[in-house]
Structures are given as C-alpha cells and as structure tokens.
Amino acid sequence: MKTYFRVLSYARPLGWLAPQYLVYALLQAVFSVLTLGVLAPVLNVLFEVEKQSNIPEALPEFSLNINYFKEVFDYYFLSLMQEDQFVALQFVCVILIISIFLSNIFKYLLAVISAIVKANVISNLRNAIYDRLVNMHIGFFTEERKGNIMSKVMADVQEVENTVVNSLKALIKEPLMLIGYFVALFFISARLTLITLIILPVSGFIISYIAISLKKKATKSQETIGRISDILDETLSGMRIIKAFNAISFSKNRFQKEVNNYAEFNVSMQKRQALAGPTSEFLGVFVVVGVLLIGGGMILEGNSELEASSFITFIAIYSQLIVPAKQLSTAFSNVQRGLASAERIFGIIDLEPAIKDKSTAKKLEKFENAISFKNVTFAYGKDKVLKNIDINIPKGDTIALVGPSGGGKSTLADLIPRFYDPISGDVQIDGISLKDLTVDSVRARMGIVSQESILFNDSIFNNIAFGKPECTLDEVIQAAKIANAHEFISQMDGGYHANLGERGTKLSGGQRQRISIARAILKNPDILILDEATSALDSESEKLVQDALANLMKNRTSIVIAHRLSTIQEADKIYVMQDGEIIEEGKHERLMETGGVYKKLIEIQSVS
C-alpha cells in the first residue's frame, strides 16, 4: 500500500478537503442507515404492534449515543401512535424523506471533492513526470525508448486515474457505510450479526487472491502498451523508408503482434477483475439466506430477542451490505491494476539526473576569456569516444572540428553545454569548472544550430522566439532578416503567424535551417555551436544558410563541426579528430602544408 499512499500524496493541496470528505462520508453513512432504520417503525404502524405500548413520561436527558436518539424518536413516535396511527405514519415518512434528501446531498458533496482530488492527483503526477523528463541528461533519451516514455506519461497516468484515484471514494466511503450498517445490525440483534461475520475472512481471502494476480497481468499489459507506442512512433517517423523498402507487411505484423499481446493480457485481466464483484455478491447473498433461516427460526420459536418487524429491518439493512462490499472488492481489484502503472510512473520520477547543479554552484554572469578542455576523457558505457583532449578556445575565436565520422566531434561539442560530463578531466569556462556553475547559466550563454533542424508544431514567431517569450515581433523579424529567412516567411500565408506543421514539414530543409539560425540569433549567445549545420542542404540552400551563419558568427566564440571542409577554411584553428583523439591542429594553410589527414580529406572532397 506504500505506492497507493504515495499516489494520494499528489492530491495536494488538500486544505480542508480531507476533513470535509470524512465528515460528508460519515454523514452519508448515518443518513443511509437511518433511511433503512425507520423501516421497523413503519412496519409497527402497519401491524399495530406498538399502539398499546407505554409512552415515555418525558424526553430523555441528552447523551451522545444511539440510545438517546432512539429514545427521542420513540417518545414522539409512540405519542403520535396513541393519538393517530396515520399521523404517526406521516411522521415516519417525513423523517424518511429528510434522511434520503440529506444522504444524497452528502453523496453529491463527496462526488465534488472526489473530482477535485482526482484532478489534483493527475495534474500533479503528469507535471512531476514532465519535470523529471526535461531535467534528465541527454544520455537518458538515447537509452530509453520514446514510445515507452510516452506510454508512461499518457497511458499509465490514465490507468492510475481510472483505477487508483477513482477507487479512493469507494475505499473511504464504503468502509464507513459498512461500519454504519453493522452498528445498526448489532443494535437490532448482536447474535445474528456475529453469525454473518463468520464468512467475511473467506470472502476477503478470495478477493485478495484475485487482486494480486491482477497486478501481475497489469504490469505486463502496460509494458506492451509502451512497445505499441514505440512502434507507432517509429512508423510515423519512418514512413518513407517503410514504403521505399516495401516493409509495410513487416511493419503491420510487428504492430499486430504487440496489439494481440495487449488484447490477450487485457482479456485475462478483465476475466479476473469480473470475478471480484460476482464473488462478493454471491457470498453476500449466501449469508443473507443463512440469516433468513436462522432469524426466521428464532421468530418461529417465539424468541423474544427478535420481533418480526426488527427481523425484516435486519434483512433489509443486511441486503444493503452487498452494495458497499461489492464496491469495495471491485475497488480493491482496480487498485492493484492501477498500482502496476503507478510503479512504472514512479520509476521515472525517482530517477536522478546525471547532470545537476551542485549545492555550491555559482551563476555564470559573463564569458570573458576562454573555454578549456583539460585532459578530458569520455565514454558511452565502456567505449571511450574521447581520449585525453586538451583544447583552449579563446573568446571570439572560431575553431573547427573535422575528421572521419565517429571520431568524437559531436561528443566533444556536447560537453560544452554540459549535455554530458567527462569521466575524467575537466571542461572549464574562464578557468571555472562547468561542474561549479549552474547548468542554466552556462546554457544561457550558448546557441546551438544542429544538422537536424528541431522545429515545433507551432507558428514561425513562436519557433524563433522559443525560450524567449517576452520578445517582440520586431525583434523576431530582425533576427529572421539576419538569417536570410524574412523573405520566404513574408511570402507564406499568415507570415510569422503561419503554422509550421509537425517538425516543420511545411518548409524545405534550407528554410528550416534558417529558422533555427534566426532562433539562435535572437538568443544572442556568447558561444555558438554549429554541428553539421549545412551538411544536409543543396548548394543553393547552403549558400543562403552559410551567409546566415556568417552573420550569426560575427563577434562570437564559435565551435564548428563540419564535413564540408570548404566551409571552415577561415577558422582561427582547425582540430582534426580521429578515434577520439586530436591528431592534427592548426590553421588551414599550415595543415595543408603538413600533408596529413586534413589534406587527404580536402583532396577527397575536391575530387568528389
């Protein structure tokens, strides 16, 4: 139940909701029992059992117990019985109407509070997952399947809403209802009530067995949903490849296999879940029959402990036990199913980001001197991709990282905004380790333009102003002009308010890249990282993007990763990387004179 109470902790802020809920639940239970409790007086009126009974001489003295309220009721009821039986019946009917009305009022208030608590739990859970995800290091997203993450954020939270949170009402209200009914039953006949309690342990054991098996099935079901989401995401992203390689049948079979697995798990769960309600109902009816036999025998034998009207009332109240008992058993089964999803959710929330601020971290107020790599080594798992890197990048310089694919260029650049931390050595800005600076203040000084233009399904304005919502339209237009993007934006329907579609698919590759550059220009960073920013473009688009990049790089410290070496020949320093090491460094002319790897790469590209 630890997971269950942890889910409920996300209901904050509760304020007065919790005590109100308990009070309303208690009052509903009281008036629900009272509604059935007046059945005996009604029967007495009809059978004229108490017409000749002695009327109490005066109202009893106040005391907070059931007997006091019963004696007050008897005083008025018996007085009316002596005067006029029909008036006595009217008196009981008025109490019955008032009781039912109040019971339903409190039932409504319980539903309102449940809705508020439910909304709080789901909102807080989703916010907690999202907060954790956006704070996770980049490596987490390369290791974890995106579909599985989306399944946890959407499907698992929905499952928690449908089961754990919805069961809260039953798990609080129904026990109070059961207690109220049992108090009334004990008051009528303690002997009969004790007999009915014998079956409860058996019923509880059966229901708990069903619930435990449900939790195991639910875990497998939610894992399957994650795989379905993952396959769907890959299909939508790779539709061109699927069609180009005639892999439609393969994709269908792969998807259908997981869907069928989910269906099997779901049917199995539904079977077990469906058992809980009927089982508890059957056991309840079984006991009712037993009570009918035992109580009926007592009356037929002339037992003075139980009158006919009281026995009928007892049966009526006991029959109502089946409803809360069934609700409780169903809720318990549902909770087990939801707890499996909750544990998957908390599996993400409990993750600790690999990159986080020290408690003593300082804010980087400004960048003044240089970025330095001090004997830096980095590895993904056991494979070292950077080995003992020593680089110094003075402020205002442009340095280029070139070399064969897999040499560690992008990884080296990723260490500067602290997407990763080196396993040894240190990366510093102005002589201060990045680990001693706050992550946000470091990244605030940087702008990144990557090979893949990351755009969002939003307007052009919001894409350029991303991360800077306070900027004006004039500022966005100015940034777009510098990025050579204003002209094509102006020609679009809606201009800067035109929607770009999913991942900016309404634009060409060059246009998407210029939007990304405009975004970086608007940020006005001190440090610029260009990761293969033009490698995927045609010659015409490349020229426009290169001009935009030249505007962007003015008076900034730039780290350029490039395969097209013609674009970096004016760099202040070029580093040639191979197998995680720097094998050559210098300006273009010097490297050409050396006749090493750099010159060979230039010659290969010249021939091609």
Side-chain angles (χ1 to χ4, degrees):
M1 294 301 286
K2 182 180 177 181
T3 304
Y4 180 77
F5 288 117
R6 187 176 176 187
V7 170
L8 296 187
S9 70
Y10 284 83
R12 297 188 183 94
L14 283 173
W16 286 96
L17 292 178
Q20 280 184 74
Y21 193 93
L22 291 173
V23 170
Y24 295 155
L26 181 61
L27 289 172
Q28 192 203 353
V30 168
F31 287 109
S32 295
V33 173
L34 181 62
T35 300
L36 294 170
V38 297
L39 180 61
V42 171
L43 294 173
N44 288 333
V45 171
L46 297 176
F47 298 151
E48 301 186 17
V49 174
E50 296 189 5
K51 186 175 179 180
Q52 305 302 324
S53 301
N54 293 325
I55 304 171
E57 295 179 0
L59 282 170
E61 293 185 6
F62 177 79
S63 60
L64 197 60
N65 57 55
I66 295 177
N67 279 325
Y68 168 75
F69 293 103
K70 182 179 182 301
E71 289 172 5
V72 169
F73 176 83
D74 287 344
Y75 174 79
Y76 289 109
F77 176 68
L78 293 175
S79 298
L80 291 172
M81 280 280 288
Q82 289 293 333
E83 295 176 9
D84 189 325
Q85 285 180 280
F86 187 68
V87 172
L89 183 60
Q90 288 177 323
F91 171 71
V92 173
C93 288
V94 168
I95 291 178
L96 182 63
I97 291 172
I98 293 172
S99 177
I100 292 173
F101 175 76
L102 291 175
S103 175
N104 281 282
I105 286 290
F106 292 120
K107 184 178 181 180
Y108 167 75
L109 293 173
L110 284 173
V112 170
I113 294 177
S114 293
I116 296 172
V117 170
K118 177 177 169 182
N120 286 349
V121 169
I122 300 310
S123 298
N124 291 336
L125 262 182
R126 282 209 169 103
N127 287 333
I129 299 173
Y130 191 82
D131 288 346
R132 178 59 69 201
L133 286 174
V134 295
N135 284 314
M136 291 303 292
H137 59 290
I138 296 295
F140 169 79
F141 300 98
T142 60
E143 297 166 5
E144 188 76 18
R145 298 196 317 271
K146 185 165 66 172
N148 196 38
I149 294 173
M150 292 175 65
S151 172
K152 290 176 181 178
V153 176
M154 303 305 296
D156 282 317
V157 172
Q158 191 66 47
E159 186 65 36
V160 169
E161 178 181 1
N162 293 338
T163 55
V164 177
V165 182
N166 281 347
S167 68
L168 177 62
K169 181 179 176 182
L171 292 175
I172 293 179
K173 189 193 80 171
E174 305 307 342
L176 290 174
M177 296 292 292
L178 288 172
I179 292 170
Y181 286 139
F182 271 113
V183 167
L185 294 176
F186 267 108
F187 193 81
I188 295 172
S189 174
R191 179 182 170 187
L192 268 181
T193 306
L194 288 172
I195 292 172
T196 63
L197 289 175
I198 296 173
I199 196 67
L200 288 183
V202 178
S203 176
F205 173 79
I206 295 172
I207 298 302
S208 63
Y209 174 78
I210 295 171
I212 291 170
S213 62
L214 260 176
K215 186 178 179 182
K216 295 177 182 177
K217 294 285 184 183
T219 301
K220 292 181 179 179
S221 174
Q222 293 307 107
E223 289 172 354
T224 306
I225 279 287
R227 290 193 292 272
I228 290 173
S229 299
D230 202 45
I231 293 170
L232 184 59
D233 178 68
E234 290 176 351
T235 301
L236 296 176
S237 301
M239 188 61 72
R240 287 177 178 270
I241 299 298
I242 290 172
K243 290 181 179 294
F245 284 83
N246 283 331
I248 294 176
S249 296
F250 172 79
S251 299
K252 282 182 179 178
N253 293 336
R254 188 177 170 215
F255 185 78
Q256 287 171 0
K257 180 182 176 183
E258 294 300 340
V259 169
N260 291 338
N261 286 340
Y262 176 73
E264 288 178 10
F265 286 130
N266 221 30
V267 169
S268 180
M269 278 194 300
Q270 293 296 332
K271 286 179 181 178
R272 292 172 186 269
Q273 192 171 350
L275 270 176
T279 300
S280 61
E281 187 171 342
F282 171 77
L283 292 171
V285 172
F286 181 79
V287 177
V288 169
V289 172
V291 168
L292 187 60
L293 288 172
I294 297 169
M298 292 170 62
I299 293 172
L300 293 174
E301 291 172 3
N303 193 316
S304 59
E305 179 187 342
L306 195 64
E307 296 176 349
S309 60
S310 297
F311 177 60
I312 294 173
T313 304
F314 187 97
I315 293 293
I317 293 175
Y318 192 82
S319 66
Q320 294 303 303
L321 283 173
I322 296 174
V323 176
K326 183 178 179 180
Q327 293 285 343
L328 200 56
S329 64
T330 301
F332 185 60
S333 299
N334 286 341
V335 163
Q336 297 304 314
R337 179 174 174 175
L339 290 182
S341 291
E343 287 173 1
R344 280 166 50 84
I345 292 168
F346 292 133
I348 287 184
I349 293 176
D350 292 339
L351 288 173
E352 284 296 324
I355 308 297
K356 56 184 178 181
D357 293 335
K358 288 181 179 178
S359 58
T360 57
K362 299 181 296 183
K363 186 176 180 180
L364 178 64
E365 298 294 344
K366 56 184 176 178
F367 172 47
E368 294 182 318
N369 299 315
I371 302 169
S372 304
F373 285 75
K374 304 287 188 181
N375 199 30
V376 168
T377 297
F378 179 80
Y380 296 109
K382 296 180 180 179
D383 299 325
K384 288 185 179 180
V385 292
L386 294 177
K387 305 166 188 175
N388 306 316
I389 301 295
D390 281 290
I391 293 179
N392 190 65
I393 309 170
K395 181 180 180 182
D397 277 9
T398 295
I399 69 115
L401 303 175
V402 302
S405 297
K409 303 183 294 296
S410 294
T411 300
L412 188 148
D414 284 344
L415 296 180
I416 299 174
R418 209 181 165 200
F419 291 154
Y420 302 96
D421 280 337
I423 60 173
S424 65
D426 198 20
V427 183
Q428 300 176 352
I429 291 183
D430 294 342
I432 304 171
S433 172
L434 293 184
K435 295 178 182 178
D436 294 324
L437 298 169
T438 61
V439 173
D440 286 349
S441 69
V442 169
R443 292 174 185 169
R445 297 285 163 190
M446 299 182 186
I448 299 174
V449 180
S450 60
Q451 178 179 358
E452 182 185 0
S453 303
I454 307 298
L455 300 179
F456 303 94
N457 193 357
D458 205 337
S459 67
I460 292 175
F461 176 90
N462 288 337
N463 270 279
I464 295 176
F466 188 75
K468 198 175 179 181
E470 73 282 358
C471 70
T472 64
L473 178 60
D474 288 340
E475 290 174 315
V476 169
I477 292 173
Q478 185 61 31
K481 286 180 178 179
I482 297 172
N484 291 331
H486 178 68
E487 184 178 348
F488 79 80
I489 293 173
S490 301
Q491 293 173 359
M492 295 180 66
D493 290 339
Y496 283 85
H497 299 290
N499 190 282
L500 293 182
E502 186 74 20
R503 300 183 183 180
T505 50
K506 293 182 179 180
L507 302 179
S508 68
Q511 290 172 334
R512 289 198 296 270
Q513 198 66 295
R514 280 178 276 165
I515 294 291
S516 297
I517 293 169
R519 181 164 60 200
I521 289 171
L522 185 66
K523 187 177 182 181
N524 193 25
D526 294 324
I527 301 164
L528 184 63
I529 299 173
L530 305 176
D531 189 354
E532 306 281 6
T534 63
S535 64
L537 304 178
D538 57 74
S539 299
E540 183 179 351
S541 296
E542 182 182 5
K543 177 65 172 65
L544 292 169
V545 171
Q546 280 291 10
D547 291 343
L549 288 174
N551 293 330
L552 174 60
M553 293 166 63
K554 288 177 182 176
N555 303 317
R556 289 186 174 87
T557 304
S558 302
I559 296 92
V560 182
I561 301 171
H563 275 124
R564 296 188 183 181
L565 304 184
S566 59
T567 62
I568 49 89
Q569 293 181 7
E570 300 301 320
D572 294 291
K573 202 165 191 178
I574 299 170
Y575 293 93
V576 183
M577 297 189 67
Q578 185 172 291
D579 297 329
E581 297 179 305
I582 295 174
I583 58 173
E584 296 177 15
E585 61 180 271
K587 293 179 74 70
H588 170 72
E589 293 80 8
R590 179 179 175 278
L591 290 174
M592 290 297 290
E593 291 172 1
T594 303
V597 173
Y598 179 79
K599 183 177 180 181
K600 290 179 181 178
L601 292 173
I602 288 284
E603 289 173 349
I604 290 171
Q605 290 192 10
S606 298
V607 172
S608 61

